[in-house]
Amino acid sequence: MRSTTTGSNIGSQVILLFKKSLSHTFNLLSVKSNALTICSTLLDQKVKIMKFDFSGLESSAPLYGLNNELLSDGFSAAPSFDLPVTSDFDDFQKNSIQMVKPAKGTTTLAFIFKDGVMVAADSRASMGGYISSQSVKKIIEINPYMLGTMAGGAADCQFWHRNLGIKCRLHELANKRRISVTGASKLLANILYSYRGMGLSVGTMIAGWDEKGPGLYYVDSEGGRLKGTKFSVGSGSPYAYGVLDSGYKYDLTIDEAAELARRAIYHATFRDGASGGVASVYHVGPNGWTKLSGDDVGELHYSYYPVEPATVEHEMTEAVVA
Amino acid sequence: MECVFGMVGKGFALVVADSSAVNSILVHKSNEDKIMVLDSHKLMGASGEAGDRAQFTEYVQKNVALYHYRNGIPLTTKAAANFMRGELATALRKNPYMVNIVLAGYDKETGPSLYYIDYIATLHKVDKATFGYGSYFALSMMDRHYHPDMTVDEAIKLDDQCIEEIRSRLVVAPQNFIIKIVDQDGAREHSWRRTTKD
């Protein structure tokens, strides 16, 4: 719809109401644009007041015959569809929205400690009950000193993190200094806010080291942005929080912090069906990020809980042949 | 589950807000500051959808600062409240901001004032205001115990009673609360009421 027609739209809605009071049967499921065309033609015949330019409103959809009686006087029929047969239309709307809403089936976590930021994630991608991949990279390298985590729609996260990386580089070139974690997270949050309500699904954490030291922000597709020291995102996050909160201290060494992160991811993958695969752990320090480890969670399970050899009560031996 | 409330006393106005940032059943953060200092003598306690709250309050803060730079004098509390209401009203039928705001300010000429601004752009100048599930408990308590020209200590005592009531009666009560005060010396943080350390 061209912007020039919006002004006339309001006027034509008034005419529509006026016309409804005049005429008899008029199909209410018709698309507004065709209704306005009908209005204007009728108006031309009866009262010549205003001529509106509706050329921008012509719908290109094929005509569906509604009632041939209406078609007989040369008006174009409005494209329409049958409403779904359901007793509860409101729930139907809610359910259909729920169906397309992608669940954030993952576990990611990040926390700040005295030596920087520890970032960890699983690597399972699931589509409902089907595991589509066990080797997804959920920690995205935005630039050599900033990491982003992926939860929600994979495409959304990958694309917008890549886009954020571009914007950060442009900022560096324009201002001759690296962008701060605060600035980068705000850029992403503003972009996601502008697409609010349009179906993006992103639950990410931006972790980095800038002039002010380690920084960690949680940004999501609803437009929320939180600064914090400890976050976990995804369907497995409550499980990870439990392990993370009980073992966290600011004064952990790098190895202890890595083990805490790995353990938290492992416990989340153990209980949450949508998380699994490989637990990757990254560390962001003053010189940028480094990947510390990537362990299969199945192997982690047996290293944490080794199988005890079963005690044998009766040992079977060969029967002595007389 | 978010609670924001405020009241006017003798020469000051208080705003109390919870400090939890929640996502369905998960508490991401329990020391989030939801009372924004709009300028030297104005406080804005906001509750509502996460993205809307941050974006709208920052937008208002920057516009209030812009007015100050352009015209050399700061906006009065009444003018700021009406500006906010206007912005909410304009956006309401297109892209509504789901934010509820309690605006407290101190003007030299008129003294302390409190404004109740709803997400559907309702604006009322009031003595006491509450938002959120906590309002069911806090509002009646304030109606009962509030009287005009309370001192700071009396007002803090009433706030503590409200917080206690919310903590004991609300099923998913927020853990921590922040209290900010504005009087002739300016807007500043007064204290926290914590049950958990973050």
Side-chain angles (χ1 to χ4, degrees):
Chain A
M1 218 194 303
R2 292 196 301 252
S3 56
T4 47
T5 53
T6 36
S8 57
N9 236 354
I10 302 161
S12 44
Q13 280 180 36
V14 171
I15 293 168
L16 176 62
L17 288 166
F18 182 65
K19 196 229 170 281
K20 266 200 229 175
S21 64
L22 289 178
S23 74
H24 30 280
T25 47
F26 195 83
N27 197 323
L28 288 167
L29 285 174
S30 312
V31 176
K32 236 186 255 163
S33 59
N34 283 292
L36 297 167
T37 329
I38 296 166
C39 288
S40 67
T41 6
L42 265 175
L43 229 69
D44 288 345
Q45 291 164 10
K46 295 195 167 129
V47 181
K48 282 210 189 288
I49 304 173
M50 290 176 270
K51 267 211 169 342
F52 294 104
D53 173 21
F54 292 111
S55 52
L57 298 174
E58 295 303 321
S59 61
S60 51
L63 301 177
Y64 294 109
L66 297 164
N67 280 323
N68 277 319
E69 292 79 26
L70 282 177
L71 287 176
S72 60
D73 33 7
F75 299 154
S76 52
S80 68
F81 54 88
D82 287 327
L83 286 176
V85 178
T86 167
S87 47
D88 190 354
F89 184 65
D90 292 317
D91 253 354
F92 168 78
Q93 262 194 329
K94 218 189 315 171
N95 287 331
S96 54
I97 289 169
Q98 271 301 111
M99 197 177 72
V100 289
K101 193 189 275 195
K104 300 193 176 113
T106 184
T107 312
T108 58
L109 61 88
F111 58 89
I112 293 179
F113 67 112
K114 75 167 167 32
D115 287 323
V117 196
M118 202 53 80
V119 184
D122 75 313
S123 69
R124 176 176 289 186
S126 46
M127 284 158 36
Y130 173 68
I131 298 172
S132 41
S133 170
Q134 289 271 63
S135 51
V136 178
K137 269 192 71 165
K138 294 193 186 175
I139 298 183
I140 298 160
E141 296 138 13
I142 298 170
N143 59 40
Y145 56 96
M146 248 196 302
L147 291 175
T149 58
M150 177 200 295
D156 288 336
C157 290
Q158 281 177 352
F159 178 85
W160 290 111
H161 278 120
R162 188 83 186 264
N163 185 279
L164 178 64
I166 293 169
K167 290 207 158 60
C168 292
R169 179 72 183 138
L170 286 172
H171 176 102
E172 250 181 65
L173 292 168
N175 299 287
K176 277 199 168 182
R177 55 189 273 181
R178 281 180 177 171
I179 193 170
S180 60
V181 185
T182 316
S185 60
K186 191 72 179 164
L187 274 176
L188 184 63
N190 284 339
I191 293 169
L192 293 177
Y193 182 74
S194 63
Y195 286 100
R196 183 176 59 114
M198 296 191 205
L200 281 186
S201 171
V202 173
T204 182
M205 295 178 284
I206 306 291
W209 188 294
D210 58 24
E211 285 157 11
K212 294 203 203 88
L216 178 62
Y217 284 84
Y218 164 75
V219 179
D220 72 18
S221 47
E222 274 89 62
R225 171 174 167 267
L226 296 172
K227 180 175 161 69
T229 44
K230 213 189 315 161
F231 286 116
S232 177
V233 182
S235 59
S237 61
Y239 305 110
Y241 265 126
V243 177
L244 191 55
D245 285 335
S246 54
Y248 175 81
K249 278 194 295 283
Y250 184 76
D251 307 308
L252 294 167
T253 64
I254 294 179
D255 288 330
E256 287 172 345
E259 184 52 32
L260 178 65
R262 197 175 303 123
R263 197 75 192 240
I265 294 284
Y266 156 73
H267 280 286
T269 58
F270 187 68
R271 286 295 181 184
D272 180 33
S275 306
V278 167
S280 332
V281 181
Y282 282 65
H283 171 245
V284 186
N287 301 318
W289 56 261
T290 41
K291 180 162 182 179
L292 292 181
S293 66
D295 302 293
D296 181 87
V297 294
E299 284 167 22
L300 277 181
H301 172 81
Y302 289 109
S303 77
Y304 292 140
Y305 304 104
V307 180
E308 305 293 332
T311 52
V312 179
E313 285 171 10
H314 294 287
E315 206 177 292
M316 292 214 299
T317 52
E318 287 278 335
V320 176
V321 178
Chain B
M1 309 306 166
E2 296 190 346
C3 312
V4 182
F5 55 94
M7 65 182 79
V8 176
K10 191 173 177 63
F12 71 94
L14 270 182
V15 180
V16 181
D18 78 294
S19 57
S20 59
V22 164
N23 193 340
S24 79
I25 58 161
L26 207 57
V27 176
H28 275 304
K29 211 180 160 194
S30 43
N31 58 0
E32 171 85 349
D33 187 355
K34 294 181 192 166
I35 308 178
M36 179 173 268
V37 173
L38 209 54
D39 69 12
S40 61
H41 287 76
K42 286 190 209 30
L43 284 177
M44 177 169 62
S47 75
E49 249 183 60
D52 285 343
R53 172 168 55 80
Q55 294 279 351
F56 183 73
T57 54
E58 284 178 14
Y59 172 71
V60 169
Q61 190 191 47
K62 302 314 174 204
N63 271 286
V64 166
L66 183 61
Y67 181 94
H68 192 16
Y69 291 137
R70 278 187 174 150
N71 303 291
I73 49 164
L75 278 172
T76 57
T77 313
K78 181 172 179 174
N82 277 286
F83 167 69
M84 270 191 248
R85 193 213 85 88
E87 288 300 313
L88 286 168
T90 319
L92 183 64
R93 300 291 184 193
K94 293 176 202 159
N95 192 10
Y97 291 108
M98 305 300 280
V99 222
N100 299 312
I101 290 167
V102 171
L103 175 70
Y106 185 91
D107 304 303
K108 266 212 305 278
E109 303 84 15
T110 51
S113 50
L114 193 73
Y115 288 87
Y116 169 101
I117 304 168
D118 213 338
Y119 72 100
I120 39 177
T122 313
L123 172 66
H124 288 300
K125 182 177 186 310
V126 289
D127 286 331
K128 42 190 153 45
T130 56
F131 278 114
Y133 284 117
S135 70
Y136 288 100
F137 312 104
L139 202 50
S140 57
M141 290 207 76
M142 292 209 276
D143 286 339
R144 168 72 184 82
H145 297 291
Y146 176 86
H147 55 88
D149 293 333
M150 291 171 86
T151 63
V152 179
D153 291 327
E154 285 175 337
I156 294 288
K157 195 155 147 288
L158 177 54
D159 279 338
D160 279 332
Q161 281 180 302
C162 291
I163 290 172
E164 265 317 296
E165 187 64 14
I166 290 170
R167 279 202 178 130
S168 56
R169 288 295 184 187
L170 187 56
V171 65
V172 203
Q175 293 129 326
N176 303 334
F177 288 83
I178 181 171
I179 304 175
K180 289 198 179 173
I181 187 171
V182 59
D183 59 15
Q184 61 176 12
D185 299 325
R188 58 191 181 279
E189 188 182 294
H190 182 279
S191 51
W192 284 82
R193 297 284 180 266
R194 289 183 210 268
T195 49
T196 57
K197 276 209 164 306
D198 197 51

